[in-house]
Amino acid sequence: MSNQPPLKVDQLSIRYHHKPVLTDVSFEIPPGQTVAIVGPNGAGKSSLLKGIMNLTPAIQGKVQFYGRTLEEKRLTTAYVPQREEIDWDFPINVMDVVLMGRHGQLKFWQRPSRCDRQIAEQALKDLKMWDFRDRQIAQLSGGQQQRVFLARALAQQASLYLMDEPFAGVDVATEKTIIELFKQLKAKGNTVVCVHHDLNTVGEYFDHVILINARLIAAGPAHQVLTQANLNKTYGGRLSLLNDLTEQMYRSRLDNAHPGD
Amino acid sequence: MSTLFQSFNLSDWVLDLWILATASLVAAACALVGVFLILRRQALMGDAISHSVLLGIVLAYLISGTNALWVMLLGAVIIGLVTAWLSETLHKVSRLQSDASIGIVFTLFFSIGVILVSLYTGQIDLDQECVLYGEIAFVPFDTVIWGDMETGTDLGPRAFWLILIVFAVVLISLLVGFERLKTVTFHPSLAVSLGINITFWHYFLMTLVSMTTVASFDAVGAILVVALLIIPAATAYLLARSLKTMLWLAVAYSQMAVWLGYAIAFWLNSAIAAAIAVSAGLLMGLTLVLIQLSKQYHKRTHAHPLRQIKD
């Protein structure tokens, strides 16, 4: 595309009801990598993504997409919000949700074309959800709902993907599918930025890590950033406790997935 | 003598037809915009706008001095949009809950409207009863006349033409903007991230609601229009699996309510609009009961083989 980074954040600050959520966050993301935004609860991870997408007003700072503004690069940027954000009882089927990923390219009076449908079909197949295309979204499991969201982002055919906790509360099969998707996207030179909460899998799933807790703690390649000192700074003294907890949760989830073991 | 009797009978039948046609269009237009209000959780906003358009009508009349259809529509749309905007601003500025802000704004507008109606009773062709409850039985007597008052042709009831125009506008808007309205309703933040202007679509929908409620005013009044906005759409929500079926179902329910209500009103010799609203409620109750029964039936048929295994 160009030698500009896919995403460059410059001194971004966000407040919510006059309380500072994020202060003076700056970083740059290299192209073609998977990037995790990691931090404790309430650290401002989701706010950071929303601030980048201009869904939450920033009080200061500049965000550049391939060296351009968001308005110029909307169609190459796909945002995947948290699953809780929408009404899953909404009368709509899987295919229609995925087709919404094509709306950026359509004028308001246009219906999705055959070509748009083919793109949506491929996205659903990539996420192993094609068989569910006619299901109403209320009749899906949590993991399947997440895959529908990801298929919609994929149908947008963006080059930068911003995802808010795609691994939260999903089953093992979905987790594997998402990892598969990451590989696919990387192979095409696309960039994936995820809010992630599971410290046990960060190093395995992501190339690049951004640690935040109201401010930027560290940003860089995963193996350089994920040091005990940095994690202590991010999570304060609670890290050892937190680590035990996440490990326990991870174990119990594995046990649930393979009850016979 | 017998020919006179026959022609009298015929005109009676024509009156019924005008009333039914007007009621059907009112119910259909309300059902269509109601679907979006329900899905966007803005049912209360429909209530609010249906009341504050009274102020719009009265002001439009007092300022312009005519009661031409387009003047009434314009007044209603402006006040409807101001209601939506002011409620939202009040919510943001004062940090009051959004339903409280809506309640404050529309009751204020409605009361000002009522005061103006009572101040200018002589000049305005509206009384307080009519504003609140409407009287669809009188709809056929207020007609649009093409040409001279004395010699011109009678084109039929004013309320009918008004709701016909509004229904056409609503239908065309939904057909043309269907995909956008769907996206904006389903997932606003996705719509924003795709570069869709959700504020525009919000006010666009509020415009449609204002037009629909003002056109429904003569027929069903400010209170019962809420029933037609909410009940058929809510009933459709219980059953629909897609937005398209929800729109069709809502219209179907609204038409059933009109016919059933008209029959009830005829049978009891009661107010037509109220009977339509009651019928909408009855149909909703019936649908709920049927859904529950079918759920239990499914549970039983599914549980049955398991029970056999246990035995």
Side-chain angles (χ1 to χ4, degrees):
Chain A
M1 193 156 289
S2 65
N3 44 15
Q4 294 277 3
L7 183 66
K8 188 173 178 224
V9 176
D10 225 0
Q11 297 189 309
L12 189 71
S13 296
I14 295 169
R15 273 185 202 171
Y16 186 69
H17 284 327
H18 307 289
K19 269 181 15 201
V21 177
L22 277 178
T23 313
D24 218 6
V25 173
S26 305
F27 58 84
E28 224 181 275
I29 280 168
Q33 298 211 337
T34 51
V35 183
I37 299 173
V38 180
N41 283 338
K45 293 168 291 184
S46 295
S47 301
L48 176 58
L49 273 202
K50 284 191 174 140
I52 289 171
M53 286 308 288
N54 206 11
L55 294 168
T56 301
I59 52 167
Q60 67 156 28
K62 204 169 109 184
V63 182
Q64 283 180 301
F65 300 79
Y66 297 99
R68 302 288 180 79
T69 63
L70 177 61
E71 286 312 317
E72 291 171 284
K73 285 287 172 190
R74 275 224 190 266
L75 296 185
T76 52
T77 310
Y79 171 62
V80 183
Q82 281 183 17
R83 244 186 315 135
E84 294 80 49
E85 216 177 74
I86 65 154
D87 170 18
W88 287 96
D89 284 327
F90 196 94
I92 192 169
N93 68 25
V94 167
M95 186 64 176
D96 279 349
V97 173
V98 177
L99 277 172
M100 278 183 189
R102 306 297 305 156
H103 274 207
Q105 272 91 346
L106 298 172
K107 296 272 181 286
F108 73 82
W109 62 86
Q110 286 175 324
R111 299 287 192 271
S113 68
R114 182 196 290 265
C115 176
D116 293 320
R117 288 184 175 279
Q118 275 165 0
I119 291 167
E121 178 181 337
Q122 192 53 51
L124 278 171
K125 281 179 177 161
D126 286 347
L127 284 146
K128 305 190 181 73
M129 285 298 289
W130 177 241
D131 294 337
F132 296 89
R133 61 190 177 277
D134 293 325
R135 283 262 188 113
Q136 198 205 328
I137 54 169
Q139 299 166 317
L140 300 173
S141 71
Q144 290 166 339
Q145 291 176 343
Q146 189 64 59
R147 280 191 260 168
V148 172
F149 258 26
L150 291 169
R152 186 179 67 187
L154 203 57
Q156 216 176 312
Q157 298 192 315
S159 43
L160 171 64
Y161 293 81
L162 302 173
M163 306 179 181
D164 204 342
E165 302 247 23
F167 293 103
V170 302
D171 50 289
V172 177
T174 302
E175 190 149 343
K176 275 187 190 149
T177 316
I178 301 177
I179 295 304
E180 218 26 64
L181 173 74
F182 282 6
K183 279 185 193 147
Q184 227 186 81
L185 289 172
K186 260 167 66 174
K188 286 188 225 157
N190 296 330
T191 310
V192 179
V193 181
C194 283
V195 170
H196 196 62
H197 65 290
D198 187 357
L199 278 177
N200 295 297
T201 51
V202 176
E204 188 188 337
Y205 294 169
F206 296 95
D207 308 318
H208 197 92
V209 173
I210 294 165
L211 290 176
I212 60 165
N213 189 353
R215 295 172 171 276
L216 183 76
I217 307 290
H223 59 94
Q224 282 176 25
V225 169
L226 292 174
T227 61
Q228 198 60 43
N230 274 338
L231 290 175
N232 275 337
K233 246 165 122 191
T234 313
Y235 287 90
R238 292 169 297 162
L239 180 65
S240 57
L241 177 73
L242 201 108
N243 230 347
D244 292 347
L245 265 177
T246 47
E247 208 176 309
Q248 266 175 25
M249 272 169 60
Y250 191 66
R251 288 250 169 78
S252 69
R253 217 171 64 199
L254 280 180
D255 290 346
N256 286 339
H258 313 285
D261 298 351
Chain B
M1 195 66 194
S2 71
T3 48
L4 184 73
F5 185 68
Q6 266 173 5
S7 74
F8 190 73
N9 215 357
L10 182 72
S11 75
D12 228 21
W13 193 77
V14 168
L15 288 189
D16 279 334
L17 206 63
W18 281 126
I19 292 169
L20 264 178
T22 309
S24 294
L25 284 173
V26 165
C30 284
L32 288 175
V33 294
V35 163
F36 289 95
L37 290 177
I38 292 281
L39 290 175
R40 294 163 61 91
R41 291 151 200 253
Q42 286 175 329
L44 185 64
M45 191 53 102
D47 188 8
I49 289 180
S50 71
H51 281 77
S52 43
V53 291
L54 171 69
L55 181 61
I57 299 173
V58 176
L59 283 180
Y61 181 75
L62 289 177
I63 291 168
S64 73
T66 80
N67 65 349
L69 295 184
W70 72 270
V71 176
M72 298 290 118
L73 272 179
L74 189 70
V77 167
I78 291 172
I79 289 294
L81 293 182
V82 170
T83 306
W85 175 78
L86 203 61
S87 320
E88 216 175 282
T89 312
L90 190 62
H91 166 57
K92 273 186 196 151
V93 172
S94 69
R95 286 168 64 186
L96 277 169
Q97 292 85 340
S98 71
D99 48 353
S101 333
I102 294 172
I104 292 165
V105 172
F106 90 78
T107 47
L108 177 71
F109 281 11
F110 184 68
S111 331
I112 298 175
V114 170
I115 290 174
L116 287 176
V117 169
S118 56
L119 280 181
Y120 296 92
T121 322
Q123 296 164 42
I124 303 175
D125 178 27
L126 270 175
D127 63 57
Q128 291 169 39
E129 289 275 300
C130 179
V131 163
L132 286 174
Y133 311 117
E135 190 37 273
I136 201 164
F138 297 156
V139 156
F141 302 110
D142 184 7
T143 56
V144 182
I145 293 164
W146 182 262
D148 190 18
M149 267 306 239
E150 302 290 319
T151 59
T153 21
D154 190 339
L155 291 178
R158 206 176 117 86
F160 172 80
W161 287 106
L162 182 58
I163 190 63
L164 185 68
I165 294 165
V166 168
F167 178 73
V169 170
V170 168
L171 194 65
I172 291 167
S173 304
L174 295 194
L175 283 173
V176 173
F178 183 74
E179 293 291 327
R180 277 292 188 277
L181 282 166
K182 184 162 76 179
T183 308
V184 167
T185 304
F186 175 61
H187 200 166
S189 71
L190 170 85
V192 172
S193 80
L194 289 171
I196 296 170
N197 185 345
I198 58 167
T199 315
F200 167 79
W201 288 101
H202 172 67
Y203 285 106
F204 180 74
L205 200 63
M206 293 304 121
T207 306
L208 294 183
V209 174
S210 310
M211 289 171 70
T212 308
T213 50
V214 72
S216 313
F217 225 84
D218 280 348
V220 293
I223 296 179
L224 294 180
V225 68
V226 184
L228 291 178
L229 277 174
I230 295 174
I231 302 173
T235 317
Y237 181 75
L238 297 175
L239 296 169
R241 297 243 174 129
S242 76
L243 184 54
K244 242 180 227 163
T245 38
M246 186 168 167
L247 288 163
W248 280 112
L249 278 172
V251 171
Y253 267 106
S254 74
Q255 299 309 298
M256 279 193 276
V258 166
W259 290 94
L260 187 63
Y262 201 76
I264 291 175
F266 188 77
W267 173 49
L268 295 175
N269 197 17
S270 67
I272 298 167
I276 292 173
V278 168
S279 316
L282 286 176
L283 287 169
M284 162 125 201
L286 188 69
T287 308
L288 255 180
V289 168
L290 287 178
I291 289 174
Q292 292 305 322
L293 283 180
S294 93
K295 260 189 201 160
Q296 284 198 340
Y297 174 75
H298 275 282
K299 233 189 239 167
R300 213 174 297 154
T301 47
H302 281 284
H304 203 58
L306 275 176
R307 217 181 293 147
Q308 277 180 333
I309 291 167
K310 265 188 190 166
D311 294 343

